[in-house]
Amino acid sequence: MRSPCRSFILSKHDFFLDKTIKLWKISERDKRAEGYNLKDEDGRLRDPFRITSLRVPILKPMDLMVEASPRRIFANAHTYHINSISVNSDHETYLSADDLRINLWHLEITDRSFNIVDIKPANMEELTEVITAAEFHPHQCNVFVYSSSKGTIRLCDMRDSALCDRHSKFFEEPEDPSSRSFFSEIISSISDVKFSHSGRYMMTRDYLSVKVWDLNMESRPVETYQVHEYLRSKLCSLYENDCIFDKFECCWNGSDSAIMTGSYNNFFRMFDRNTRRDITLEASRESSKPRAILKPRKVCTGGKRKKDEINVDSLDFNKKILHTAWHPKENIIAVAATNNLYIFQDKVN
């Protein structure tokens, strides 16, 4: 949500005991006022009996300062960890999703929400899947999708009923029985779902791949991109160290012609949908220096290692890029690597 003079951002708290949502006001300041009448420049109040003249405060330039201040808190609506927040195209409502429920909020009302999806069974022992992500359609305010731990996506229309327990469309890729293994259900769990800016497609991220779906075809994705297929032989060790449960996000560029998602060793992957070319880049302190050019990286699985290649056995699984974002109009990306945020811009003259 943006206006000429201010912008807002919704955030979810990841604390297990504080399942709240906050609306923050983001503001920028590059000037400060000096010459107050009732207080000194250091902020201390002046003695009113010593004020003998009226001063007109003046604005002076200062270093740009970005401030975030909480404006509203939406609480007491989720029992489980919140995994998704999505603002509606009407700019008045938004949804929040946890493992079993999706709630619809109004941005001006903080003390109540409407439950629009509830998959909690009467007996929790009968639970077979959980909600992993949800998002509103970018243009149709009545349509949203949510994904599940079984690798399925449901598209719902709020015009059908108040409780969207019945989906309008069901997207699922048929499984190849010959490739089924103990890890099949785990790696097919969808960790993120994103509509394209045009609203024609949606993208899903599972553990090993990114898939692009046409909303008019439910039977299979129209595009599949392997993110780190070389990890398929490492699934056993990834299961033992819990990395197989990592939740990677994905995002579109402004024209929907390219997609991006994260991987391990602080690598992130980009795929060009027109040429089907892909590239692996690394987010590091060296590459984040001003005007530094990112060099493509490559992972080798065996044999003789070439220059600038890294062996799959040398990957650092503690360094992972789970969160990615692409500017809606410009070639500016942001990736979060552990406790660092990196922002990269396309080469400019």
Side-chain angles (χ1 to χ4, degrees):
M1 296 167 291
R2 291 185 177 274
S3 64
C5 60
R6 60 182 179 175
S7 60
F8 295 91
I9 186 171
L10 279 167
S11 70
K12 59 181 182 292
H13 273 210
D14 291 335
F15 305 107
F16 287 103
L17 297 178
D18 186 15
K19 301 174 179 65
T20 61
I21 302 165
K22 289 187 177 182
L23 177 69
W24 299 78
K25 178 182 178 182
I26 310 298
S27 58
E28 296 180 349
R29 285 197 297 144
D30 58 1
K31 294 181 176 62
R32 69 173 184 272
E34 291 186 359
Y36 287 103
N37 289 284
L38 300 179
K39 58 183 179 181
D40 295 324
E41 302 307 327
D42 58 4
R44 292 183 299 178
L45 292 176
R46 300 174 61 191
D47 185 353
F49 295 101
R50 294 187 178 183
I51 301 176
T52 58
S53 60
L54 180 65
R55 294 189 296 179
V56 178
I58 59 175
L59 294 176
K60 289 190 174 182
M62 60 176 286
D63 293 336
L64 179 64
M65 180 181 296
V66 180
E67 297 177 323
S69 54
R71 283 293 180 261
R72 295 186 183 89
I73 298 178
F74 306 84
N76 304 322
H78 285 279
T79 306
Y80 305 95
H81 173 67
I82 300 172
N83 56 50
S84 301
I85 294 176
S86 178
V87 179
N88 202 346
S89 58
D90 61 12
H91 297 289
E92 294 183 354
T93 58
Y94 74 93
L95 66 77
S96 61
D98 63 24
D99 290 347
L100 299 180
R101 293 186 176 95
I102 300 177
N103 294 327
L104 179 67
W105 301 80
H106 194 284
L107 287 165
E108 301 294 333
I109 302 173
T110 62
D111 59 350
R112 68 180 181 273
S113 61
F114 297 96
N115 180 230
I116 54 176
V117 173
D118 189 347
I119 66 170
K120 184 178 180 180
N123 183 0
M124 286 296 286
E125 294 182 356
E126 299 175 358
L127 183 67
T128 59
E129 62 181 338
V130 296
I131 298 169
T132 56
E135 188 179 57
F136 266 121
H137 191 278
H139 308 303
Q140 302 174 31
C141 62
N142 53 289
V143 174
F144 69 95
V145 294
Y146 68 93
S147 58
S148 81
S149 56
K150 281 194 169 183
T152 61
I153 311 103
R154 293 171 173 84
L155 184 143
C156 301
D157 191 332
M158 293 190 294
R159 295 173 301 183
D160 292 340
S161 62
L163 181 63
C164 299
D165 51 356
R166 294 184 179 180
H167 49 267
S168 301
K169 292 186 177 182
F170 184 79
F171 300 84
E172 183 179 23
E173 184 177 23
E175 184 184 17
D176 182 4
S178 62
S179 62
R180 182 165 181 80
S181 69
F182 171 79
F183 305 106
S184 294
E185 186 169 328
I186 300 175
I187 63 176
S188 65
S189 175
I190 295 174
S191 58
D192 195 18
V193 56
K194 290 287 194 324
F195 277 109
S196 63
H197 294 88
S198 66
R200 168 72 183 274
Y201 302 96
M202 67 177 175
M203 170 173 52
T204 60
R205 170 69 203 266
D206 56 44
Y207 189 69
L208 294 179
S209 64
V210 173
K211 297 171 182 176
V212 176
W213 302 75
D214 189 322
L215 294 187
N216 296 321
M217 189 171 78
E218 305 171 50
S219 58
R220 58 177 53 86
V222 293
E223 301 166 25
T224 299
Y225 303 93
Q226 301 301 330
V227 178
H228 38 216
E229 183 65 18
Y230 47 79
L231 294 181
R232 189 175 291 275
S233 61
K234 304 288 183 182
L235 293 180
C236 186
S237 58
L238 291 167
Y239 178 80
E240 292 175 350
N241 62 18
D242 285 342
C243 285
I244 200 171
F245 302 105
D246 287 333
K247 307 298 182 184
F248 293 94
E249 293 180 357
C250 53
C251 60
W252 302 82
N253 71 338
S255 62
D256 297 333
S257 62
I259 56 182
M260 176 175 64
T261 189
S263 182
Y264 293 104
N265 209 73
N266 280 2
F267 289 168
F268 59 97
R269 302 267 284 146
M270 290 182 172
F271 303 92
D272 189 307
R273 298 181 60 209
N274 297 322
T275 63
R276 292 304 179 105
R277 295 176 60 186
D278 62 88
I279 188 172
T280 301
L281 301 171
E282 181 181 7
S284 64
R285 292 187 179 275
E286 291 74 22
S287 62
S288 63
K289 294 178 180 178
R291 298 189 180 278
I293 299 177
L294 295 179
K295 296 181 179 179
R297 302 301 305 271
K298 188 175 182 181
V299 179
C300 64
T301 56
K304 189 176 180 180
R305 184 170 63 90
K306 298 180 182 179
K307 186 180 179 181
D308 294 331
E309 286 187 345
I310 182 172
N311 192 280
V312 64
D313 296 321
S314 302
L315 295 175
D316 189 343
F317 293 104
N318 292 318
K319 295 180 179 179
K320 60 193 78 173
I321 293 180
L322 302 179
H323 309 288
T324 57
W326 206 315
H327 192 282
K329 295 182 180 179
E330 302 178 25
N331 273 334
I332 300 175
I333 61 172
V335 296
T338 316
N339 58 344
N340 296 311
L341 176 65
Y342 297 91
I343 298 178
F344 301 104
Q345 184 175 8
D346 194 11
K347 185 177 179 181
V348 293
N349 296 326

